Amino acid sequence: MVTKVVDLRSDTVTKPSEAMRAAMAAADVDDDVLGADPTARRFEAEMARIMGKDAALFVPSGTMANLVSVLAHCDTRGSEIILGDNSHIHIYENGGISTIGGVHPKTVANNPDGTMDIDRIVDAIRHREGSLYYPTTRLICLENTHANCGGKCLSVEYTDKVGEVAKTHGLKLHIDGARIFNASVALGVPVDRLVRAADSVSVCLSKGLGAPVGSVIVGSKAFIDKAKILRKTLGGGMRQVGILCAAAYVGVRDTVGKLADDHRRAKVLADGLNKIKQFTVDLTSVETNMVFFDIADPRISPDNLCQALEQRNVLAMPASSKSVRLVIHYQISDSDVQQALTCIEKAVEEILSGNAKFEHLTNGSTANSYGH
């Protein structure tokens, strides 16, 4: 009997559902670069409606979504954006805003809950009289949920306050909403209300929503018109892209309603991990589908633990030299969570007994969870 693999590396690892595959096979398509793909146009219109914005644009990846958004807002050389020092855009997107866009990052410390202090954001805004010396602040970026802070949710009240700061100073606000639907569900706030203050939002379709490929950008029609040109410049214009949009539509339709179960299972997983004496888990920090746990026993390393787990068909990735991140998605069941906990306990016992044998494994379980 083949034991099922419980893949907790990320919510990016889901396989397309049968409904997604059927929708892809039946999709009505045409050339999207020419603006003629009917499935892409319908999907983009639906995403704009759901997010409460005027227009939307499908792009191949979340990294491109954020890069296009930043460049559309910062279309003048010498622009600067304010963003968190622990944010995905700043750490995990190859510095594209600088290397490709010539945009300067001004970082503000992220708090453990993913926020940046409002007064620090205000202090980071460049004064016009310093333009001889400094870049020009044009954009503030938030991340919701905040991955490196454990999948924490930024409240609508906080987002509105940052939006007011941006408006007061003549700036734009972009939200990296790779997991914005997770935040919406966890907070009990409609997603369009949660992002009302933002001028643009990127939404990843291949994380919690389970689609195989893609992200979508939403904003004003003028913003999306600029974004479309930038997407083409970056090589993101695709032809019969309705095949991908069809799967993404199924993900939005079918998977948003399952996110609450993902969050519940993450809390069950965290509670079980916290009962293993070699680990520590901040249970109050588990707000969505991510669980970070620290390893308190120096005899156990994240790499060795993940290798021992892979030998038991549980896949995970180190988050740091002393911690591991596990991510729940809609293809993880209650029994999968219990199987994972049982395997983790056995892996710990084996490592501490000195009987663990480590090999070169191929499923990527010992690569850091950078950018996922």
Side-chain angles (χ1 to χ4, degrees):
M1 180 181 295
V2 177
T3 303
K4 176 185 176 181
V5 174
V6 179
D7 196 339
L8 302 174
R9 291 173 296 170
S10 179
D11 47 7
T12 61
V13 302
T14 55
K15 308 300 188 291
S17 66
E18 289 303 315
M20 289 179 188
R21 294 177 188 273
M24 294 170 77
D28 183 13
V29 298
D30 204 326
D31 191 327
D32 186 55
V33 174
L34 300 180
D37 190 295
T39 303
R41 291 171 68 176
R42 284 195 297 269
F43 175 68
E44 289 168 345
E46 177 65 3
M47 287 304 297
R49 183 193 67 79
I50 290 171
M51 302 299 293
K53 302 300 181 186
D54 294 336
L57 184 69
F58 182 89
V59 296
S61 71
T63 294
M64 184 180 286
N66 285 329
L67 179 58
V68 165
S69 297
V70 171
L71 298 189
H73 289 304
C74 301
D75 55 359
T76 303
R77 300 292 292 183
S79 295
E80 183 172 75
I81 70 170
I82 297 170
L83 75 172
D85 67 340
N86 208 13
S87 66
H88 197 282
I89 293 175
H90 184 59
I91 298 176
Y92 298 133
E93 298 183 10
N94 298 105
I97 62 169
S98 299
T99 58
I100 296 173
V103 177
H104 190 263
K106 174 69 172 178
T107 59
V108 173
N110 279 118
N111 297 314
D113 64 357
T115 63
M116 299 175 282
D117 290 343
I118 298 291
D119 57 349
R120 291 189 175 186
I121 293 175
V122 173
D123 289 344
I125 298 171
R126 305 289 189 177
H127 295 290
R128 299 291 182 183
E129 56 268 25
S131 60
L132 179 63
Y133 306 99
Y134 307 130
T136 301
T137 308
R138 299 191 187 279
L139 179 67
I140 301 170
C141 294
L142 299 177
E143 182 179 334
N144 198 9
T145 65
H146 199 289
N148 267 6
C149 292
K152 298 286 184 58
C153 304
L154 305 189
S155 70
V156 66
E157 294 81 8
Y158 173 79
T159 304
D160 285 351
K161 288 179 182 177
V162 177
E164 282 300 316
V165 169
K167 187 179 297 183
T168 298
H169 291 84
L171 310 177
K172 300 297 184 181
L173 173 62
H174 172 69
I175 295 177
D176 174 0
R179 296 180 176 92
I180 193 68
F181 283 94
N182 290 87
S184 171
V185 168
L187 295 169
V189 176
V191 69
D192 60 330
R193 176 64 189 91
L194 192 55
V195 302
R196 184 181 296 170
D199 296 284
S200 61
V201 187
S202 62
V203 181
C204 188
L205 304 162
S206 60
K207 289 190 167 78
L209 300 181
V213 180
S215 286
V216 69
I217 309 166
V218 297
S220 68
K221 185 179 184 303
F223 170 82
I224 293 299
D225 286 344
K226 292 171 68 174
K228 191 173 295 185
I229 296 170
L230 287 162
R231 180 186 69 175
K232 186 68 168 65
T233 303
L234 295 171
M238 296 183 288
R239 302 298 178 176
Q240 286 70 40
V241 75
I243 292 173
L244 300 179
C245 291
Y249 176 79
V250 173
V252 174
R253 183 193 69 193
D254 294 353
T255 314
V256 172
K258 301 175 182 178
L259 294 177
D261 281 335
D262 292 347
H263 301 169
R264 175 183 58 80
R265 291 185 179 109
K267 289 178 172 61
V268 171
L269 180 61
D271 186 62
L273 290 167
N274 204 43
K275 294 175 181 176
I276 300 174
K277 67 179 183 179
Q278 289 81 12
F279 302 155
T280 58
V281 185
D282 179 3
L283 298 178
T284 63
S285 73
V286 182
E287 296 182 0
T288 54
N289 65 325
M290 293 185 179
V291 179
F292 286 74
F293 64 93
D294 294 324
I295 301 175
D297 194 315
R299 294 172 294 176
I300 305 171
S301 74
D303 283 344
N304 286 350
L305 178 62
C306 289
Q307 288 186 55
L309 288 174
E310 186 171 340
Q311 293 169 351
R312 290 169 172 77
N313 289 317
V314 175
L315 304 183
M317 288 199 291
S320 72
S321 61
K322 295 183 179 179
S323 64
V324 173
R325 188 190 79 167
L326 305 177
V327 185
I328 301 293
H329 48 80
Y330 84 101
Q331 292 178 344
I332 295 296
S333 66
D334 290 334
S335 61
D336 291 334
V337 170
Q338 294 306 316
Q339 179 184 334
L341 286 170
T342 298
C343 290
I344 290 169
E345 290 176 344
K346 290 181 178 178
V348 168
E349 291 174 3
E350 186 176 51
I351 292 171
L352 294 181
S353 70
N355 293 326
K357 296 179 181 179
F358 302 113
E359 304 171 357
H360 177 70
L361 302 174
T362 59
N363 282 321
S365 63
T366 59
N368 280 356
S369 55
Y370 298 146
H372 297 284

